[in-house]
Amino acid sequence: MEAYELCYVVSLSLELAGAIILLINFLGNTKKIVILTYFPGSNVAERKNDEIILKKNKLQERARNVYMNRTAFIYIIIGYISGIWSNMGKTNKFAIALMIGIVCFVLTMAGNAISKKIAEKKFEKDIAISFDSVKEIVDIPISKEEIDGLF
Protein backbone atom coordinates (compact mmCIF):
# COMPACT_ATOMS: atom_id res chain seq x y z
CA MET A 1 0.00 0.00 0.00
CA GLU A 2 1.34 3.39 -1.02
CA ALA A 3 1.64 6.26 1.48
CA TYR A 4 -1.18 8.27 -0.17
CA GLU A 5 -3.49 5.23 0.01
CA LEU A 6 -2.66 4.73 3.67
CA CYS A 7 -3.31 8.44 4.29
CA TYR A 8 -6.69 8.11 2.54
CA VAL A 9 -7.66 5.08 4.68
CA VAL A 10 -6.58 6.81 7.90
CA SER A 11 -8.42 10.00 6.93
CA LEU A 12 -11.73 8.24 6.25
CA SER A 13 -11.29 6.04 9.33
CA LEU A 14 -10.82 9.07 11.59
CA GLU A 15 -13.85 10.81 10.09
CA LEU A 16 -16.05 7.73 10.49
CA ALA A 17 -14.79 7.05 14.01
CA GLY A 18 -15.64 10.64 14.94
CA ALA A 19 -19.14 10.23 13.53
CA ILE A 20 -19.62 6.97 15.44
CA ILE A 21 -18.45 8.55 18.70
CA LEU A 22 -20.99 11.36 18.22
CA LEU A 23 -23.73 8.83 17.44
CA ILE A 24 -23.12 6.69 20.53
CA ASN A 25 -24.94 9.26 22.69
CA PHE A 26 -28.06 8.81 20.58
CA LEU A 27 -28.17 5.02 20.23
CA GLY A 28 -30.66 2.97 22.19
CA ASN A 29 -34.18 3.52 23.36
CA THR A 30 -35.39 6.85 21.95
CA LYS A 31 -37.93 7.42 24.71
CA LYS A 32 -35.29 6.90 27.40
CA ILE A 33 -32.85 9.26 25.68
CA VAL A 34 -35.58 11.89 25.28
CA ILE A 35 -36.52 11.66 28.96
CA LEU A 36 -32.88 11.85 30.09
CA THR A 37 -32.29 14.96 27.95
CA TYR A 38 -35.61 16.54 28.98
CA PHE A 39 -34.13 18.07 32.15
CA PRO A 40 -31.02 20.03 31.16
CA GLY A 41 -29.70 22.80 33.33
CA SER A 42 -31.60 23.02 36.60
CA ASN A 43 -32.89 19.41 36.59
CA VAL A 44 -35.90 20.59 38.58
CA ALA A 45 -39.27 19.03 37.83
CA GLU A 46 -42.75 19.61 39.16
CA ARG A 47 -44.37 16.55 40.73
CA LYS A 48 -48.02 15.57 41.11
CA ASN A 49 -48.74 12.44 43.17
CA ASP A 50 -45.31 10.88 42.54
CA GLU A 51 -45.62 11.55 38.80
CA ILE A 52 -43.85 14.04 36.59
CA ILE A 53 -45.65 15.35 33.52
CA LEU A 54 -43.41 15.80 30.49
CA LYS A 55 -44.83 18.30 28.00
CA LYS A 56 -45.23 17.10 24.41
CA ASN A 57 -43.62 20.17 22.80
CA LYS A 58 -40.40 19.72 24.75
CA LEU A 59 -40.51 15.94 24.20
CA GLN A 60 -40.88 16.48 20.46
CA GLU A 61 -37.94 18.90 20.37
CA ARG A 62 -35.70 16.48 22.28
CA ALA A 63 -36.80 13.60 20.03
CA ARG A 64 -36.16 15.68 16.90
CA ASN A 65 -32.60 16.27 18.14
CA VAL A 66 -32.10 12.51 18.58
CA TYR A 67 -33.46 11.75 15.11
CA MET A 68 -31.41 14.55 13.50
CA ASN A 69 -28.22 13.13 15.02
CA ARG A 70 -29.10 9.66 13.75
CA THR A 71 -29.85 11.10 10.31
CA ALA A 72 -26.53 12.96 10.30
CA PHE A 73 -24.71 9.73 11.08
CA ILE A 74 -26.45 7.93 8.20
CA TYR A 75 -25.60 10.79 5.82
CA ILE A 76 -21.96 10.73 6.94
CA ILE A 77 -21.61 6.96 6.56
CA ILE A 78 -23.21 6.92 3.11
CA GLY A 79 -21.18 9.96 2.02
CA TYR A 80 -17.83 8.58 3.10
CA ILE A 81 -18.44 5.12 1.72
CA SER A 82 -19.71 6.44 -1.62
CA GLY A 83 -16.68 8.77 -1.71
CA ILE A 84 -14.42 5.75 -2.00
CA TRP A 85 -15.75 5.04 -5.52
CA SER A 86 -16.35 8.61 -6.62
CA ASN A 87 -14.42 10.82 -8.97
CA MET A 88 -15.06 14.45 -9.80
CA GLY A 89 -14.07 13.85 -13.39
CA LYS A 90 -13.69 16.82 -15.71
CA THR A 91 -16.68 18.76 -14.43
CA ASN A 92 -16.04 22.39 -13.51
CA LYS A 93 -15.19 22.71 -9.80
CA PHE A 94 -17.54 25.69 -9.44
CA ALA A 95 -20.42 23.63 -10.88
CA ILE A 96 -19.57 20.77 -8.48
CA ALA A 97 -19.51 23.19 -5.52
CA LEU A 98 -22.88 24.63 -6.57
CA MET A 99 -24.42 21.15 -6.91
CA ILE A 100 -23.01 20.15 -3.51
CA GLY A 101 -24.57 23.24 -1.95
CA ILE A 102 -27.98 22.51 -3.48
CA VAL A 103 -27.97 18.81 -2.59
CA CYS A 104 -26.71 19.60 0.93
CA PHE A 105 -29.53 22.11 1.43
CA VAL A 106 -32.16 19.63 0.19
CA LEU A 107 -30.81 16.79 2.37
CA THR A 108 -30.65 19.05 5.45
CA MET A 109 -34.22 20.27 4.98
CA ALA A 110 -35.46 16.72 4.31
CA GLY A 111 -33.64 15.35 7.37
CA ASN A 112 -35.09 18.09 9.57
CA ALA A 113 -38.64 17.67 8.23
CA ILE A 114 -38.57 13.87 8.55
CA SER A 115 -37.08 14.03 12.06
CA LYS A 116 -39.73 16.53 13.13
CA LYS A 117 -42.58 14.40 11.72
CA ILE A 118 -41.30 11.25 13.43
CA ALA A 119 -40.93 13.13 16.73
CA GLU A 120 -44.45 14.56 16.47
CA LYS A 121 -45.86 11.10 15.70
CA LYS A 122 -44.00 9.32 18.52
CA PHE A 123 -44.70 12.01 21.13
CA GLU A 124 -48.25 13.16 20.34
CA LYS A 125 -49.20 13.75 23.98
CA ASP A 126 -47.73 14.75 27.29
CA ILE A 127 -46.23 11.79 29.11
CA ALA A 128 -46.59 11.02 32.80
CA ILE A 129 -43.63 9.19 34.27
CA SER A 130 -43.00 8.04 37.82
CA PHE A 131 -40.67 10.12 39.92
CA ASP A 132 -38.76 6.94 40.81
CA SER A 133 -37.74 6.43 37.17
CA VAL A 134 -35.79 9.72 37.12
CA LYS A 135 -35.01 10.45 40.76
CA GLU A 136 -31.24 10.19 40.14
CA ILE A 137 -31.30 13.02 37.58
CA VAL A 138 -34.17 15.23 38.76
CA ASP A 139 -34.66 17.36 41.85
CA ILE A 140 -38.21 17.89 43.04
CA PRO A 141 -39.10 21.00 45.05
CA ILE A 142 -40.75 20.10 48.32
CA SER A 143 -44.55 20.37 48.11
CA LYS A 144 -46.77 22.44 50.40
CA GLU A 145 -48.27 19.22 51.74
CA GLU A 146 -44.83 17.88 52.60
CA ILE A 147 -43.91 21.15 54.34
CA ASP A 148 -47.20 21.10 56.30
CA GLY A 149 -46.49 17.48 57.29
CA LEU A 150 -43.22 18.52 58.93
CA PHE A 151 -44.99 20.70 61.51
Side-chain angles (χ1 to χ4, degrees):
M1 183 178 278
E2 302 270 341
Y4 71 91
E5 293 169 324
L6 181 60
C7 184
Y8 182 76
V9 168
V10 169
S11 174
L12 283 181
S13 298
L14 287 169
E15 292 168 349
L16 287 173
I20 290 168
I21 289 169
L22 291 173
L23 180 69
I24 288 172
N25 289 331
F26 296 98
L27 284 177
N29 183 311
T30 303
K31 184 176 178 182
K32 184 177 179 181
I33 295 168
V34 168
I35 290 170
L36 289 174
T37 60
Y38 187 90
F39 302 102
S42 69
N43 291 349
V44 176
E46 196 173 319
R47 175 178 61 174
K48 286 187 180 182
N49 302 329
D50 273 351
E51 282 190 334
I52 298 171
I53 306 297
L54 306 178
K55 301 295 182 187
K56 79 172 187 174
N57 290 345
K58 194 170 179 181
L59 287 168
Q60 290 173 354
E61 180 57 31
R62 298 296 183 259
R64 189 192 68 76
N65 288 339
V66 170
Y67 294 128
M68 281 295 289
N69 277 287
R70 290 176 181 172
T71 301
F73 174 75
I74 292 166
Y75 285 178
I76 289 168
I77 290 290
I78 293 170
Y80 288 145
I81 290 173
S82 65
I84 293 169
W85 293 281
S86 67
N87 186 340
M88 198 168 78
K90 296 178 182 174
T91 306
N92 179 301
K93 289 183 181 183
F94 179 75
I96 293 287
L98 183 62
M99 286 187 280
I100 289 171
I102 292 168
V103 172
C104 181
F105 177 79
V106 169
L107 288 172
T108 302
M109 293 296 108
N112 187 48
I114 291 168
S115 296
K116 185 176 179 182
K117 289 289 180 199
I118 293 170
E120 288 171 352
K121 184 85 171 153
K122 276 195 125 173
F123 296 94
E124 293 178 305
K125 301 175 187 173
D126 294 347
I127 296 176
I129 59 171
S130 71
F131 169 66
D132 288 340
S133 68
V134 290
K135 66 182 174 186
E136 286 94 32
I137 61 167
V138 175
D139 298 321
I140 304 290
I142 191 166
S143 69
K144 184 175 179 346
E145 294 80 22
E146 290 169 324
I147 293 172
D148 292 343
L150 294 173
F151 299 104

